PDB file of all heavy atoms in Angstrom:
ATOM      1  N   ASP S   1     126.943 118.189 119.249  1.00 87.00           N
ATOM      2  CA  ASP S   1     127.724 118.499 118.056  1.00 87.00           C
ATOM      3  C   ASP S   1     126.879 118.748 116.813  1.00 87.00           C
ATOM      4  O   ASP S   1     127.187 118.265 115.724  1.00 87.00           O
ATOM      5  CB  ASP S   1     128.733 117.380 117.770  1.00 87.00           C
ATOM      6  CG  ASP S   1     129.707 117.169 118.920  1.00 87.00           C
ATOM      7  OD1 ASP S   1     130.061 118.171 119.576  1.00 87.00           O
ATOM      8  OD2 ASP S   1     130.099 116.013 119.159  1.00 87.00           O
ATOM      9  N   GLY S   2     125.782 119.504 116.960  1.00 83.00           N
ATOM     10  CA  GLY S   2     124.947 119.843 115.812  1.00 83.00           C
ATOM     11  C   GLY S   2     124.037 118.728 115.339  1.00 83.00           C
ATOM     12  O   GLY S   2     123.346 118.867 114.333  1.00 83.00           O
ATOM     13  N   ARG S   3     124.008 117.611 116.056  1.00 91.00           N
ATOM     14  CA  ARG S   3     123.116 116.499 115.730  1.00 91.00           C
ATOM     15  C   ARG S   3     122.236 116.240 116.943  1.00 91.00           C
ATOM     16  O   ARG S   3     122.597 116.561 118.066  1.00 91.00           O
ATOM     17  CB  ARG S   3     123.911 115.244 115.373  1.00 91.00           C
ATOM     18  CG  ARG S   3     124.784 115.449 114.173  1.00 91.00           C
ATOM     19  CD  ARG S   3     125.546 114.233 113.714  1.00 91.00           C
ATOM     20  NE  ARG S   3     125.902 113.303 114.772  1.00 91.00           N
ATOM     21  CZ  ARG S   3     126.134 112.013 114.570  1.00 91.00           C
ATOM     22  NH1 ARG S   3     126.034 111.501 113.379  1.00 91.00           N
ATOM     23  NH2 ARG S   3     126.474 111.231 115.574  1.00 91.00           N
ATOM     24  N   PHE S   4     121.077 115.633 116.710  1.00 94.00           N
ATOM     25  CA  PHE S   4     120.182 115.375 117.830  1.00 94.00           C
ATOM     26  C   PHE S   4     119.279 114.188 117.547  1.00 94.00           C
ATOM     27  O   PHE S   4     118.996 113.839 116.408  1.00 94.00           O
ATOM     28  CB  PHE S   4     119.362 116.622 118.164  1.00 94.00           C
ATOM     29  CG  PHE S   4     118.674 117.235 116.982  1.00 94.00           C
ATOM     30  CD1 PHE S   4     117.377 116.908 116.674  1.00 94.00           C
ATOM     31  CD2 PHE S   4     119.351 118.125 116.166  1.00 94.00           C
ATOM     32  CE1 PHE S   4     116.755 117.445 115.575  1.00 94.00           C
ATOM     33  CE2 PHE S   4     118.738 118.683 115.067  1.00 94.00           C
ATOM     34  CZ  PHE S   4     117.430 118.332 114.767  1.00 94.00           C
ATOM     35  N   TRP S   5     118.861 113.561 118.638  1.00 97.00           N
ATOM     36  CA  TRP S   5     117.956 112.428 118.628  1.00 97.00           C
ATOM     37  C   TRP S   5     116.742 112.840 119.458  1.00 97.00           C
ATOM     38  O   TRP S   5     116.858 113.602 120.416  1.00 97.00           O
ATOM     39  CB  TRP S   5     118.618 111.210 119.250  1.00 97.00           C
ATOM     40  CG  TRP S   5     119.794 110.720 118.463  1.00 97.00           C
ATOM     41  CD1 TRP S   5     119.801 109.667 117.591  1.00 97.00           C
ATOM     42  CD2 TRP S   5     121.121 111.241 118.460  1.00 97.00           C
ATOM     43  NE1 TRP S   5     121.048 109.519 117.046  1.00 97.00           N
ATOM     44  CE2 TRP S   5     121.885 110.482 117.558  1.00 97.00           C
ATOM     45  CE3 TRP S   5     121.750 112.307 119.103  1.00 97.00           C
ATOM     46  CZ2 TRP S   5     123.224 110.713 117.301  1.00 97.00           C
ATOM     47  CZ3 TRP S   5     123.097 112.558 118.849  1.00 97.00           C
ATOM     48  CH2 TRP S   5     123.815 111.768 117.964  1.00 97.00           C
ATOM     49  N   GLU S   6     115.570 112.311 119.119  1.00 97.00           N
ATOM     50  CA  GLU S   6     114.357 112.777 119.780  1.00 97.00           C
ATOM     51  C   GLU S   6     113.330 111.648 119.858  1.00 97.00           C
ATOM     52  O   GLU S   6     113.236 110.815 118.955  1.00 97.00           O
ATOM     53  CB  GLU S   6     113.785 113.946 118.979  1.00 97.00           C
ATOM     54  CG  GLU S   6     112.623 114.651 119.597  1.00 97.00           C
ATOM     55  CD  GLU S   6     112.275 115.935 118.853  1.00 97.00           C
ATOM     56  OE1 GLU S   6     112.718 116.119 117.701  1.00 97.00           O
ATOM     57  OE2 GLU S   6     111.553 116.743 119.442  1.00 97.00           O
ATOM     58  N   ALA S   7     112.546 111.638 120.924  1.00 98.00           N
ATOM     59  CA  ALA S   7     111.459 110.669 121.089  1.00 98.00           C
ATOM     60  C   ALA S   7     110.350 111.316 121.898  1.00 98.00           C
ATOM     61  O   ALA S   7     110.618 112.161 122.759  1.00 98.00           O
ATOM     62  CB  ALA S   7     111.955 109.403 121.780  1.00 98.00           C
ATOM     63  N   GLY S   8     109.108 110.918 121.621  1.00 98.00           N
ATOM     64  CA  GLY S   8     108.003 111.463 122.397  1.00 98.00           C
ATOM     65  C   GLY S   8     106.646 111.163 121.796  1.00 98.00           C
ATOM     66  O   GLY S   8     106.478 110.204 121.044  1.00 98.00           O
ATOM     67  N   ARG S   9     105.708 112.046 122.111  1.00 98.00           N
ATOM     68  CA  ARG S   9     104.294 111.830 121.781  1.00 98.00           C
ATOM     69  C   ARG S   9     103.729 113.067 121.099  1.00 98.00           C
ATOM     70  O   ARG S   9     103.994 114.195 121.522  1.00 98.00           O
ATOM     71  CB  ARG S   9     103.536 111.537 123.067  1.00 98.00           C
ATOM     72  CG  ARG S   9     102.057 111.362 122.906  1.00 98.00           C
ATOM     73  CD  ARG S   9     101.451 110.996 124.239  1.00 98.00           C
ATOM     74  NE  ARG S   9     100.013 111.186 124.220  1.00 98.00           N
ATOM     75  CZ  ARG S   9      99.152 110.341 124.736  1.00 98.00           C
ATOM     76  NH1 ARG S   9      99.581 109.248 125.334  1.00 98.00           N
ATOM     77  NH2 ARG S   9      97.860 110.591 124.680  1.00 98.00           N
ATOM     78  N   VAL S  10     102.920 112.810 120.063  1.00 98.00           N
ATOM     79  CA  VAL S  10     102.204 113.873 119.348  1.00 98.00           C
ATOM     80  C   VAL S  10     100.718 113.616 119.551  1.00 98.00           C
ATOM     81  O   VAL S  10     100.222 112.522 119.258  1.00 98.00           O
ATOM     82  CB  VAL S  10     102.533 113.863 117.842  1.00 98.00           C
ATOM     83  CG1 VAL S  10     101.836 115.019 117.142  1.00 98.00           C
ATOM     84  CG2 VAL S  10     104.035 113.910 117.605  1.00 98.00           C
ATOM     85  N   ASP S  11      99.996 114.617 120.075  1.00 97.00           N
ATOM     86  CA  ASP S  11      98.566 114.483 120.350  1.00 97.00           C
ATOM     87  C   ASP S  11      97.739 115.262 119.342  1.00 97.00           C
ATOM     88  O   ASP S  11      98.085 116.397 118.983  1.00 97.00           O
ATOM     89  CB  ASP S  11      98.252 114.986 121.761  1.00 97.00           C
ATOM     90  CG  ASP S  11      98.754 114.029 122.820  1.00 97.00           C
ATOM     91  OD1 ASP S  11      98.156 112.944 122.957  1.00 97.00           O
ATOM     92  OD2 ASP S  11      99.736 114.358 123.497  1.00 97.00           O
ATOM     93  N   PHE S  12      96.642 114.647 118.915  1.00 95.00           N
ATOM     94  CA  PHE S  12      95.652 115.282 118.049  1.00 95.00           C
ATOM     95  C   PHE S  12      94.359 115.337 118.857  1.00 95.00           C
ATOM     96  O   PHE S  12      93.551 114.407 118.841  1.00 95.00           O
ATOM     97  CB  PHE S  12      95.497 114.491 116.748  1.00 95.00           C
ATOM     98  CG  PHE S  12      96.770 114.475 115.940  1.00 95.00           C
ATOM     99  CD1 PHE S  12      97.720 113.480 116.129  1.00 95.00           C
ATOM    100  CD2 PHE S  12      97.025 115.475 115.016  1.00 95.00           C
ATOM    101  CE1 PHE S  12      98.897 113.474 115.401  1.00 95.00           C
ATOM    102  CE2 PHE S  12      98.204 115.481 114.285  1.00 95.00           C
ATOM    103  CZ  PHE S  12      99.144 114.481 114.481  1.00 95.00           C
ATOM    104  N   SER S  13      94.167 116.432 119.597  1.00 91.00           N
ATOM    105  CA  SER S  13      93.113 116.522 120.604  1.00 91.00           C
ATOM    106  C   SER S  13      91.718 116.424 120.017  1.00 91.00           C
ATOM    107  O   SER S  13      90.823 115.893 120.671  1.00 91.00           O
ATOM    108  CB  SER S  13      93.260 117.828 121.385  1.00 91.00           C
ATOM    109  OG  SER S  13      93.134 118.944 120.509  1.00 91.00           O
ATOM    110  N   GLY S  14      91.528 116.917 118.814  1.00 88.00           N
ATOM    111  CA  GLY S  14      90.190 116.936 118.224  1.00 88.00           C
ATOM    112  C   GLY S  14      89.607 115.566 117.944  1.00 88.00           C
ATOM    113  O   GLY S  14      88.393 115.422 117.814  1.00 88.00           O
ATOM    114  N   ILE S  15      90.468 114.544 117.842  1.00 88.00           N
ATOM    115  CA  ILE S  15      89.972 113.182 117.620  1.00 88.00           C
ATOM    116  C   ILE S  15      90.430 112.228 118.720  1.00 88.00           C
ATOM    117  O   ILE S  15      90.319 111.016 118.592  1.00 88.00           O
ATOM    118  CB  ILE S  15      90.370 112.629 116.225  1.00 88.00           C
ATOM    119  CG1 ILE S  15      91.888 112.580 116.046  1.00 88.00           C
ATOM    120  CG2 ILE S  15      89.700 113.421 115.117  1.00 88.00           C
ATOM    121  CD1 ILE S  15      92.337 111.825 114.806  1.00 88.00           C
ATOM    122  N   GLY S  16      90.949 112.792 119.812  1.00 91.00           N
ATOM    123  CA  GLY S  16      91.364 111.971 120.951  1.00 91.00           C
ATOM    124  C   GLY S  16      92.376 110.902 120.570  1.00 91.00           C
ATOM    125  O   GLY S  16      92.285 109.770 121.033  1.00 91.00           O
ATOM    126  N   SER S  17      93.337 111.269 119.731  1.00 94.00           N
ATOM    127  CA  SER S  17      94.296 110.297 119.222  1.00 94.00           C
ATOM    128  C   SER S  17      95.718 110.812 119.378  1.00 94.00           C
ATOM    129  O   SER S  17      95.936 112.014 119.507  1.00 94.00           O
ATOM    130  CB  SER S  17      94.008 110.009 117.748  1.00 94.00           C
ATOM    131  OG  SER S  17      92.706 109.471 117.604  1.00 94.00           O
ATOM    132  N   HIS S  18      96.692 109.887 119.329  1.00 97.00           N
ATOM    133  CA  HIS S  18      98.092 110.289 119.456  1.00 97.00           C
ATOM    134  C   HIS S  18      98.996 109.334 118.682  1.00 97.00           C
ATOM    135  O   HIS S  18      98.580 108.229 118.306  1.00 97.00           O
ATOM    136  CB  HIS S  18      98.519 110.344 120.926  1.00 97.00           C
ATOM    137  CG  HIS S  18      98.570 109.001 121.577  1.00 97.00           C
ATOM    138  ND1 HIS S  18      97.473 108.411 122.159  1.00 97.00           N
ATOM    139  CD2 HIS S  18      99.586 108.112 121.720  1.00 97.00           C
ATOM    140  CE1 HIS S  18      97.816 107.226 122.652  1.00 97.00           C
ATOM    141  NE2 HIS S  18      99.098 107.014 122.388  1.00 97.00           N
ATOM    142  N   LEU S  19     100.219 109.811 118.461  1.00 98.00           N
ATOM    143  CA  LEU S  19     101.275 109.014 117.841  1.00 98.00           C
ATOM    144  C   LEU S  19     102.492 109.007 118.756  1.00 98.00           C
ATOM    145  O   LEU S  19     102.769 110.017 119.415  1.00 98.00           O
ATOM    146  CB  LEU S  19     101.681 109.598 116.486  1.00 98.00           C
ATOM    147  CG  LEU S  19     100.603 109.591 115.408  1.00 98.00           C
ATOM    148  CD1 LEU S  19     101.038 110.447 114.231  1.00 98.00           C
ATOM    149  CD2 LEU S  19     100.302 108.165 114.969  1.00 98.00           C
ATOM    150  N   ILE S  20     103.220 107.899 118.782  1.00 98.00           N
ATOM    151  CA  ILE S  20     104.487 107.799 119.502  1.00 98.00           C
ATOM    152  C   ILE S  20     105.579 107.773 118.434  1.00 98.00           C
ATOM    153  O   ILE S  20     105.511 106.975 117.493  1.00 98.00           O
ATOM    154  CB  ILE S  20     104.556 106.524 120.366  1.00 98.00           C
ATOM    155  CG1 ILE S  20     103.370 106.460 121.344  1.00 98.00           C
ATOM    156  CG2 ILE S  20     105.900 106.438 121.095  1.00 98.00           C
ATOM    157  CD1 ILE S  20     103.320 107.589 122.346  1.00 98.00           C
ATOM    158  N   VAL S  21     106.576 108.663 118.584  1.00 98.00           N
ATOM    159  CA  VAL S  21     107.614 108.805 117.565  1.00 98.00           C
ATOM    160  C   VAL S  21     109.001 108.733 118.194  1.00 98.00           C
ATOM    161  O   VAL S  21     109.184 109.044 119.370  1.00 98.00           O
ATOM    162  CB  VAL S  21     107.470 110.137 116.791  1.00 98.00           C
ATOM    163  CG1 VAL S  21     106.139 110.201 116.069  1.00 98.00           C
ATOM    164  CG2 VAL S  21     107.621 111.345 117.719  1.00 98.00           C
ATOM    165  N   GLU S  22     109.970 108.310 117.370  1.00 98.00           N
ATOM    166  CA  GLU S  22     111.367 108.321 117.790  1.00 98.00           C
ATOM    167  C   GLU S  22     112.248 108.423 116.551  1.00 98.00           C
ATOM    168  O   GLU S  22     111.836 108.037 115.457  1.00 98.00           O
ATOM    169  CB  GLU S  22     111.725 107.061 118.583  1.00 98.00           C
ATOM    170  CG  GLU S  22     111.700 105.790 117.762  1.00 98.00           C
ATOM    171  CD  GLU S  22     112.073 104.554 118.571  1.00 98.00           C
ATOM    172  OE1 GLU S  22     112.173 104.634 119.804  1.00 98.00           O
ATOM    173  OE2 GLU S  22     112.251 103.489 117.944  1.00 98.00           O
ATOM    174  N   THR S  23     113.449 108.951 116.742  1.00 96.00           N
ATOM    175  CA  THR S  23     114.392 109.010 115.634  1.00 96.00           C
ATOM    176  C   THR S  23     115.217 107.730 115.600  1.00 96.00           C
ATOM    177  O   THR S  23     115.531 107.149 116.640  1.00 96.00           O
ATOM    178  CB  THR S  23     115.347 110.213 115.764  1.00 96.00           C
ATOM    179  OG1 THR S  23     115.967 110.177 117.051  1.00 96.00           O
ATOM    180  CG2 THR S  23     114.628 111.524 115.587  1.00 96.00           C
ATOM    181  N   ILE S  24     115.558 107.321 114.392  1.00 90.00           N
ATOM    182  CA  ILE S  24     116.488 106.212 114.203  1.00 90.00           C
ATOM    183  C   ILE S  24     117.844 106.779 113.825  1.00 90.00           C
ATOM    184  O   ILE S  24     118.879 106.310 114.266  1.00 90.00           O
ATOM    185  CB  ILE S  24     115.969 105.244 113.130  1.00 90.00           C
ATOM    186  CG1 ILE S  24     114.694 104.571 113.624  1.00 90.00           C
ATOM    187  CG2 ILE S  24     117.035 104.210 112.778  1.00 90.00           C
ATOM    188  CD1 ILE S  24     114.039 103.665 112.616  1.00 90.00           C
ATOM    189  N   HIS S  25     117.828 107.821 113.008  1.00 95.00           N
ATOM    190  CA  HIS S  25     119.036 108.528 112.592  1.00 95.00           C
ATOM    191  C   HIS S  25     118.967 109.938 113.168  1.00 95.00           C
ATOM    192  O   HIS S  25     117.881 110.491 113.318  1.00 95.00           O
ATOM    193  CB  HIS S  25     119.129 108.592 111.067  1.00 95.00           C
ATOM    194  CG  HIS S  25     119.113 107.243 110.430  1.00 95.00           C
ATOM    195  ND1 HIS S  25     120.190 106.386 110.482  1.00 95.00           N
ATOM    196  CD2 HIS S  25     118.152 106.585 109.745  1.00 95.00           C
ATOM    197  CE1 HIS S  25     119.887 105.273 109.857  1.00 95.00           C
ATOM    198  NE2 HIS S  25     118.654 105.366 109.401  1.00 95.00           N
ATOM    199  N   PRO S  26     120.082 110.538 113.482  1.00 96.00           N
ATOM    200  CA  PRO S  26     120.038 111.880 114.078  1.00 96.00           C
ATOM    201  C   PRO S  26     119.566 112.944 113.094  1.00 96.00           C
ATOM    202  O   PRO S  26     119.806 112.836 111.892  1.00 96.00           O
ATOM    203  CB  PRO S  26     121.483 112.126 114.494  1.00 96.00           C
ATOM    204  CG  PRO S  26     122.293 111.256 113.607  1.00 96.00           C
ATOM    205  CD  PRO S  26     121.448 110.044 113.325  1.00 96.00           C
ATOM    206  N   GLY S  27     118.897 113.945 113.650  1.00 96.00           N
ATOM    207  CA  GLY S  27     118.607 115.144 112.890  1.00 96.00           C
ATOM    208  C   GLY S  27     119.845 116.021 112.898  1.00 96.00           C
ATOM    209  O   GLY S  27     120.823 115.739 113.604  1.00 96.00           O
ATOM    210  N   ALA S  28     119.808 117.082 112.108  1.00 94.00           N
ATOM    211  CA  ALA S  28     120.971 117.969 112.035  1.00 94.00           C
ATOM    212  C   ALA S  28     120.493 119.414 111.950  1.00 94.00           C
ATOM    213  O   ALA S  28     119.410 119.697 111.445  1.00 94.00           O
ATOM    214  CB  ALA S  28     121.832 117.633 110.819  1.00 94.00           C
ATOM    215  N   SER S  29     121.321 120.311 112.455  1.00 93.00           N
ATOM    216  CA  SER S  29     121.018 121.739 112.366  1.00 93.00           C
ATOM    217  C   SER S  29     122.293 122.506 112.052  1.00 93.00           C
ATOM    218  O   SER S  29     123.399 122.010 112.281  1.00 93.00           O
ATOM    219  CB  SER S  29     120.390 122.247 113.666  1.00 93.00           C
ATOM    220  OG  SER S  29     121.305 122.152 114.734  1.00 93.00           O
ATOM    221  N   VAL S  30     122.097 123.702 111.518  1.00 92.00           N
ATOM    222  CA  VAL S  30     123.215 124.597 111.230  1.00 92.00           C
ATOM    223  C   VAL S  30     122.889 125.962 111.824  1.00 92.00           C
ATOM    224  O   VAL S  30     121.735 126.357 111.897  1.00 92.00           O
ATOM    225  CB  VAL S  30     123.491 124.733 109.712  1.00 92.00           C
ATOM    226  CG1 VAL S  30     123.940 123.406 109.136  1.00 92.00           C
ATOM    227  CG2 VAL S  30     122.272 125.246 108.978  1.00 92.00           C
ATOM    228  N   ASP S  31     123.923 126.647 112.280  1.00 92.00           N
ATOM    229  CA  ASP S  31     123.751 127.995 112.810  1.00 92.00           C
ATOM    230  C   ASP S  31     123.714 128.990 111.659  1.00 92.00           C
ATOM    231  O   ASP S  31     124.501 128.889 110.712  1.00 92.00           O
ATOM    232  CB  ASP S  31     124.893 128.342 113.766  1.00 92.00           C
ATOM    233  CG  ASP S  31     124.832 127.514 115.041  1.00 92.00           C
ATOM    234  OD1 ASP S  31     123.713 127.148 115.455  1.00 92.00           O
ATOM    235  OD2 ASP S  31     125.902 127.242 115.619  1.00 92.00           O
ATOM    236  N   LEU S  32     122.794 129.935 111.763  1.00 94.00           N
ATOM    237  CA  LEU S  32     122.634 130.991 110.768  1.00 94.00           C
ATOM    238  C   LEU S  32     122.926 132.327 111.429  1.00 94.00           C
ATOM    239  O   LEU S  32     122.952 132.427 112.658  1.00 94.00           O
ATOM    240  CB  LEU S  32     121.210 130.976 110.209  1.00 94.00           C
ATOM    241  CG  LEU S  32     120.757 129.670 109.549  1.00 94.00           C
ATOM    242  CD1 LEU S  32     119.285 129.750 109.187  1.00 94.00           C
ATOM    243  CD2 LEU S  32     121.601 129.377 108.327  1.00 94.00           C
ATOM    244  N   PRO S  33     123.121 133.375 110.649  1.00 93.00           N
ATOM    245  CA  PRO S  33     123.352 134.697 111.240  1.00 93.00           C
ATOM    246  C   PRO S  33     122.179 135.126 112.134  1.00 93.00           C
ATOM    247  O   PRO S  33     121.043 134.699 111.930  1.00 93.00           O
ATOM    248  CB  PRO S  33     123.453 135.610 110.022  1.00 93.00           C
ATOM    249  CG  PRO S  33     123.836 134.721 108.891  1.00 93.00           C
ATOM    250  CD  PRO S  33     123.196 133.392 109.194  1.00 93.00           C
ATOM    251  N   GLY S  34     122.470 135.944 113.100  1.00 91.00           N
ATOM    252  CA  GLY S  34     121.438 136.500 113.970  1.00 91.00           C
ATOM    253  C   GLY S  34     120.980 135.578 115.083  1.00 91.00           C
ATOM    254  O   GLY S  34     119.904 135.774 115.644  1.00 91.00           O
ATOM    255  N   GLY S  35     121.780 134.566 115.420  1.00 91.00           N
ATOM    256  CA  GLY S  35     121.409 133.687 116.527  1.00 91.00           C
ATOM    257  C   GLY S  35     120.293 132.713 116.206  1.00 91.00           C
ATOM    258  O   GLY S  35     119.594 132.239 117.093  1.00 91.00           O
TER     259      GLY S  35
END
């Protein structure tokens, strides 16, 4: 319904490091012309 939750991993290869992330509140999107 136009809202979303997300979790995963972000890698920074140049320094061999990563972050683990998750949403607490949903994100939101809206449809625009042209798909």
Side-chain angles (χ1 to χ4, degrees):
D1 300 326
R3 299 183 330 156
F4 51 94
W5 295 260
E6 187 170 17
R9 177 177 164 137
V10 183
D11 287 288
F12 297 89
S13 61
I15 60 170
S17 299
H18 68 273
L19 296 168
I20 304 298
V21 299
E22 67 179 10
T23 53
I24 294 176
H25 302 287
S29 65
V30 295
D31 292 329
L32 302 174

